[in-house]
């Protein structure tokens, strides 16, 4: 064994020696390097710093593109990190920088890598399940919306379909490339680390103020400040696009940590998880997002149903008593006041306005079975069809948005799709034998349920990174069942 090690070191040494002495020492190589360096220097001197930045991007970008396609696990991690940071980066970069193209590019590269891998492995059997079939049906319905006779703008459809429909293809990428418990654990660690970064950002915004670039972004549009400044308190958003996305992510991270507590961890790890839950829920209050306050109790009810035992029932009862105290306790704290109003929606003016808006739009939904077309509401509707009826309608609810843009047919398909996801997830949870995989499956069920619940008062699935995490959670449901079957020898195993 020592001789082998020495031999390996010698061979590595000789490799680098040969590379430097016999390759780079040749005149032709030195000549090419000299010409390249002079050319780059001339381009930067003549074209300015922008050219230098483009050259750096090319030198870094081309290897990164290759790595994302050739090494999909690396690509998936980069994709998740980018989904968390893309909105924060947009505030640092100059206005109108098309930062969203980065996410589109990463999506297309991962899909390309998926098809390249499938040519050699041909594992389409991974997708013979109802979730995959409904995703394809939903994608087809989104594509058919381009010929919707009620649509006021094809361009609005183009800009919307790439994030609403094509992004769902990432489910197939995740299912195909997640092939081991170790990789699931890696993804969960990356997920939680990024959530901690987001929580620290909101903590900094609340207690130390906004960074200069954040203040510049806030003040760039007067309407932005008016929407975020409520009851004398500026709502915090961390590294995300808005307070709703931030709050929902803190809830998802809290649920993930809560579920991981059921694993056979060492005590210090459980203490860390409990500390993270407390931190996530504390900074979540800074967002002022009332809808998020009811998501954790809803997830706890689902947890009590799925994992029914005396300990869980006792914990849920204690949590319910504590929640009741928080709801009724007199306070002047603006965050706690906003929390309390979440459980008395009829007394909330904004809730009543939303209810009126939904009532007003119902006749339109009933008379337009295909809806008004993708992108007909929100920023794309205001940009491409500013004078249309739907461009001025505030959807608020994710389900209302689907009903308005894609009609009651689309809403029925969307709700059926979400029901199938939860049904299959719960079915898998009771079938899985491996305790660790069972916990991962349970965590994803609770997160999906919470986001489905939260999609009624707000739009839960339209912004990064929540949309990506939703498809990742769906994929992990499928993968945990597959890995469990492989461990029991009931399904062939493929190298990770």
């Amino acid at each position: 064994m020592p001789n082998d090690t020495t031999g390996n070191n010698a061979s590595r040494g000789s490799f680098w020696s040969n590379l430097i002495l016999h390759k780079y020492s040749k005149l032709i190589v030195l000549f090419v390097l000299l010409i390249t360096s002079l050319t780059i220097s001339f381009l930067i001197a003549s074209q300015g710093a922008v050219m230098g930045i483009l050259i750096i991007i090319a030198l870094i970008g081309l290897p990164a593109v290759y790595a994302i396609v050739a090494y999909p696990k690396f690509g998936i991690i980069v994709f998740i990190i980018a989904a968390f940071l893309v909105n924060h980066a947009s505030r640092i970069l100059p206005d109108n920088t098309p930062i969203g193209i980065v996410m589109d590019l990463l999506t297309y590269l991962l899909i390309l890598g998926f098809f390249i891998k499938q040519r050699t492995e041909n594992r389409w059997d991974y997708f013979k399940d109802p979730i995959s079939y409904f995703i394809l049906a939903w994608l087809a319905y989104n594509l058919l919306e381009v010929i919707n006779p009620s649509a006021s703008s094809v361009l609005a459809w183009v800009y919307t379909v790439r994030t609403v429909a094509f992004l769902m293809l990432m489910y197939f990428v995740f299912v195909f490339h997640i092939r081991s418990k170790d990789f699931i654990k890696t993804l969960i660690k990356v997920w939680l680390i990024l959530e901690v970064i987001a929580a620290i950002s909101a903590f900094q915004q609340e207690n130390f103020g906004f960074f200069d670039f954040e203040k510049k972004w806030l003040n760039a549009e007067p309407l932005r400040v008016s929407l975020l400044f409520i009851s004398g308190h500026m709502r915090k958003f961390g590294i995300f696009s808005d307070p709703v996305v931030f709050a929902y992510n803190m809830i998802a991270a809290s649920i993930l940590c809560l579920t991981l507590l059921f694993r056979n961890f060492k005590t210090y790890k459980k203490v860390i998880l409990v500390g993270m839950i407390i931190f996530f829920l504390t900074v979540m209050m800074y967002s002022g997002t009332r809808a998020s306050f009811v998501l954790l109790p809803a997830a706890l009810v689902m947890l009590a149903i799925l994992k029914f035992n005396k300990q869980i029932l006792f914990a849920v009862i204690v949590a319910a008593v504590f929640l009741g105290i928080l709801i009724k306790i007199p306070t002047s704290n603006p965050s706690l006041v906003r929390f309390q109003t979440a459980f008395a929606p009829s007394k909330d003016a904004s809730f009543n306005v939303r209810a009126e808006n939904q009532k007003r739009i119902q006749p339109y939904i009933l008379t337009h079975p295909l809806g008004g077309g993708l992108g007909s509401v929100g920023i794309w509707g205001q940009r491409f069809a500013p004078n249309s009826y739907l461009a001025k309608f505030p959807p608020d609810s994710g389900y209302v948005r689907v009903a308005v843009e894609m009609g009651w047919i689309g809403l029925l398909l969307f709700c059926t799709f979400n029901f199938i996801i939860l049904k299959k997830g719960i079915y898998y949870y009771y079938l899985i034998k491996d305790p660790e995989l069972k916990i991962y499956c349970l965590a994803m069920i609770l997160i999906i349920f919470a986001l489905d619940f939260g999609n009624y008062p707000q739009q839960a699935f339209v912004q990064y990174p929540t949309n990506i995490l939703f498809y990742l959670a769906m994929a992990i449901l499928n993968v945990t069942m597959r890995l469990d079957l492989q461990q029991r020898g009931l399904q062939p195993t493929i190298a990770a």
Side-chain angles (χ1 to χ4, degrees):
M1 182 64 72
N3 291 336
D4 292 341
T5 305
T6 305
N8 289 336
N9 290 336
S11 64
R12 284 197 293 269
S14 62
F15 168 77
W16 290 109
S17 299
N18 289 332
L19 182 65
I20 295 171
L21 295 176
H22 300 292
K23 299 294 184 182
Y24 288 160
S25 61
K26 292 184 178 180
L27 288 176
I28 184 63
V29 175
L30 294 175
F31 180 74
V32 170
L33 290 174
L34 177 62
I35 294 299
T36 302
S37 63
L38 290 175
T39 303
I40 291 174
S41 300
F42 172 75
L43 289 173
I44 295 174
S46 59
Q47 302 297 324
V50 174
M51 179 57 67
I53 294 172
L54 292 176
I55 291 171
I56 292 173
I57 290 173
L59 291 174
I60 298 173
L62 293 177
V65 166
Y66 172 78
I68 289 167
V69 175
Y71 302 96
K73 289 183 179 180
F74 168 77
I76 288 171
I77 292 173
V78 169
F79 183 64
I80 293 172
I81 293 173
F84 270 84
L85 301 180
V86 63
N87 285 294
H88 202 54
S90 68
R91 300 182 186 119
I92 300 174
L93 297 172
D95 293 340
N96 300 321
T97 301
I99 189 71
I101 293 176
V102 173
M103 297 306 302
D104 293 341
L105 179 61
L106 289 173
T107 302
Y108 301 147
L109 288 174
L110 286 169
I111 293 172
L112 173 63
F114 165 77
F115 282 111
I116 291 174
K117 278 278 189 181
Q118 277 286 27
R119 287 187 61 187
T120 57
E121 296 188 3
N122 197 26
R123 297 300 310 198
W124 296 105
D125 56 308
Y126 280 5
F127 312 112
K128 291 182 179 179
D129 64 271
I131 296 177
S132 300
Y133 300 148
F134 262 93
I135 286 179
L136 293 176
W138 182 248
L139 178 61
Y141 188 80
N142 276 263
L143 294 176
L144 286 173
E145 278 289 318
V146 71
I147 58 173
N148 186 340
S150 300
S152 54
S153 172
V154 175
L155 279 176
W157 174 88
V158 171
Y159 276 81
T160 306
V161 76
R162 63 190 178 95
T163 54
V164 173
F166 287 156
L167 206 58
M168 295 188 77
L169 294 175
M170 292 306 300
Y171 166 82
F172 299 101
V173 174
F174 293 145
V175 168
F176 184 68
H177 290 303
I178 301 175
R179 300 182 178 182
S180 67
K181 286 193 286 187
D182 286 341
F183 191 45
I184 294 177
K185 286 188 282 190
T186 299
L187 291 176
I188 288 175
K189 288 177 183 177
V190 170
W191 183 344
L192 290 177
I193 289 170
L194 290 168
E195 297 287 12
V196 168
I197 293 172
I200 291 172
S201 175
F203 184 84
Q204 158 252 309
Q205 292 171 349
E206 176 73 14
N207 296 284
F208 301 100
F210 293 96
F211 287 123
D212 289 340
F213 69 88
E214 291 172 329
K215 292 178 182 176
K216 182 180 178 182
W217 175 79
L218 281 170
N219 296 321
E221 293 184 19
L223 181 61
R224 188 174 290 155
V225 175
S226 65
L227 289 174
L228 295 180
F229 192 74
I230 297 177
S231 302
H233 180 261
M234 182 67 76
R235 301 172 66 188
K236 305 308 183 296
F237 44 80
I239 61 175
F240 300 126
S241 60
D242 57 69
V244 174
V245 178
F246 169 70
Y248 279 24
N249 267 269
M250 293 300 100
I251 289 295
S254 300
I255 293 171
L256 182 55
C257 291
L258 175 65
T259 315
L260 290 176
L261 287 172
F262 294 107
R263 278 200 58 193
N264 189 23
F265 279 138
K266 293 181 179 179
T267 303
Y268 80 91
K269 289 185 177 181
K270 292 192 175 184
V271 171
I272 292 173
L273 287 172
V274 171
M276 290 170 67
I277 293 171
I278 295 171
F279 185 46
F280 290 148
L281 294 179
T282 300
V283 297
M284 183 267 292
M285 299 283 286
Y286 302 155
S287 72
T289 304
R290 276 185 288 253
S292 64
F293 301 149
V294 299
L295 301 190
L296 186 58
L300 289 175
V301 171
M302 177 63 81
L303 174 63
I305 294 171
L306 294 179
K307 200 173 175 64
F308 183 80
N309 58 48
K310 292 181 180 179
Q311 291 82 2
I312 296 294
L313 184 60
F314 176 75
V316 170
I317 291 173
V318 171
V321 171
F322 180 68
L323 180 65
I325 293 172
L326 284 180
I327 293 172
K328 295 298 182 180
I329 189 171
T331 181
S332 59
N333 183 286
S335 296
L336 190 53
V337 169
R338 197 164 176 84
F339 170 82
Q340 291 174 340
T341 59
F343 296 89
S346 60
K347 299 179 181 178
D348 177 30
S350 63
F351 178 87
N352 293 328
V353 169
R354 293 178 188 182
E356 286 296 323
N357 288 334
Q358 292 173 17
K359 187 176 180 180
R360 175 167 56 89
I361 204 67
Q362 283 178 2
Y364 181 91
I365 295 172
L366 294 173
T367 55
H368 292 75
L370 298 179
L374 275 179
S376 55
V377 300
I379 58 172
W380 300 128
Q382 294 166 9
R383 176 176 174 180
F384 296 112
N387 298 318
S388 66
Y389 171 67
L390 295 182
K392 301 177 179 63
F393 175 75
D396 295 321
S397 168
Y399 295 111
V400 172
R401 181 175 189 136
V402 171
V404 171
E405 291 191 342
M406 309 182 75
W408 57 264
I409 295 177
L411 179 63
L412 179 62
L413 184 62
F414 184 73
C415 291
T416 305
F417 171 55
N418 282 281
F419 170 76
I420 291 296
I421 294 169
L422 285 173
K423 177 178 178 293
K424 294 303 292 185
I426 294 170
Y427 178 67
Y428 292 156
Y429 172 71
Y430 286 115
L431 286 181
I432 292 171
K433 304 298 182 184
D434 183 288
E436 184 179 352
L437 292 173
K438 202 176 187 74
I439 292 300
Y440 296 149
C441 182
L442 176 63
M444 299 307 121
I445 293 170
L446 297 180
I447 290 171
I448 291 171
F449 176 74
L451 292 177
D452 282 339
F453 198 87
N455 198 42
Y456 173 70
Q458 297 288 348
Q459 299 180 65
F461 307 132
V462 297
Q463 293 287 351
Y464 293 112
T466 318
N467 47 9
I468 302 302
L469 298 177
F470 183 72
Y471 305 136
L472 177 62
M474 286 167 48
I476 291 176
L477 291 180
N478 187 313
V479 172
T480 50
M481 185 73 252
R482 187 183 76 219
L483 293 177
D484 188 70
L485 291 173
Q486 288 176 357
Q487 289 180 179
R488 288 186 272 157
L490 300 176
Q491 201 172 87
T493 304
I494 292 185

